[in-house]
Amino acid sequence: MNYLWGGMLIAGIVYGALTGNLEEVTNGAINASKEAVTLAIGLLGVTAMWSGLLEIASGAGIIDWITKKIQPLLRFLFPRVPGGHPALEAISVNMIANFFGLGAAATPAGLKAMEELERLEDDRRSGKASGPVRKKGIASNEMCTFLIVNISSLQLIPVNVIAYRGQYGSVNPVAIVGPAIAATAVSTLAGILFCKMMDRGV
């Protein structure tokens, strides 16, 4: 990605210089930087609010309650992960945060889930846990499933998109909620079906 973005920047600068529009390239970079800062400040408030609500829900025991309720779903998605494994808790927190559109809050839980799934793979290699054994450095089925579900991510409230729309003057920023739910529901369902189909060839 670094090479890709670096190449695009260099290509833009070179093209601007060759066509005599280098001043426009410079002005565009400065204006985009200002806009990025303004957008980041606007997103900060929205993200802080929803992250705070997630913390309150966690302190009130709501997250634990939801985690217990989605255990059947977790067992369906990750049948080879032992019950009570730390990975399941991290996965559930990640899914809940994504469900409410809190990508920033979901990231730490997602990283923790991957770490725990890697530990599970180490246990399988050493014979402490059952399941298909993968070579070191090769993602397990559980890792692939988690990544796909995390990327497709069913969202009830697309916080970032609402914030973007509000920042750019949308008359009704929350009008995106319905289409977002439909789109993410379809993408999540497609991701789960794909994972289950591929899982047959373990």
Side-chain angles (χ1 to χ4, degrees):
M1 288 298 291
N2 290 336
Y3 290 117
L4 177 62
W5 286 110
M8 290 173 63
L9 288 172
I10 293 172
I13 293 171
V14 170
Y15 181 79
L18 293 176
T19 57
N21 294 317
L22 192 58
E23 183 178 352
E24 293 297 325
V25 173
T26 303
N27 291 336
I30 293 173
N31 292 334
S33 299
K34 291 179 181 178
E35 187 175 343
V37 172
T38 302
L39 181 61
I41 293 173
L43 287 173
L44 181 63
V46 176
T47 302
M49 181 189 73
W50 284 105
S51 296
L53 289 175
L54 186 63
E55 285 297 317
I56 293 172
S58 178
I62 297 174
I63 299 300
D64 290 338
W65 179 80
I66 296 176
T67 299
K68 292 178 181 177
K69 292 297 182 182
I70 65 173
Q71 284 303 310
L73 175 62
L74 294 179
R75 299 309 311 158
F76 172 73
L77 292 175
F78 308 97
R80 297 187 186 89
V81 177
H85 194 278
L88 294 177
E89 180 180 355
I91 290 171
S92 64
V93 173
N94 173 270
M95 291 176 67
I96 292 168
N98 274 327
F99 182 69
F100 289 109
L102 301 173
T107 299
L111 294 174
K112 177 67 174 176
M114 280 296 190
E115 289 177 1
E116 294 297 340
L117 290 173
E118 178 59 31
R119 289 194 181 95
L120 177 60
E121 282 301 293
D122 290 337
D123 290 341
R124 286 173 176 169
R125 294 186 194 103
S126 62
K128 296 179 181 178
S130 61
V133 179
R134 297 281 189 267
K135 292 181 180 179
K136 191 75 173 178
I138 297 179
S140 66
N141 283 26
E142 290 84 5
M143 289 179 178
C144 293
T145 298
F146 172 66
L147 184 61
I148 290 173
V149 171
N150 184 62
I151 292 172
S152 62
S153 183
L154 174 63
Q155 288 190 6
L156 178 64
I157 306 171
V159 174
N160 288 341
V161 178
I162 292 173
Y164 290 144
R165 288 168 58 84
Q167 188 74 25
Y168 289 106
S170 173
V171 177
N172 186 11
V174 297
I176 195 66
V177 170
I181 292 174
T184 56
V186 171
S187 65
T188 301
L189 180 60
I192 291 173
L193 290 174
F194 174 78
C195 290
K196 288 301 177 181
M197 288 173 61
M198 297 302 292
D199 201 31
R200 291 181 176 180
V202 177

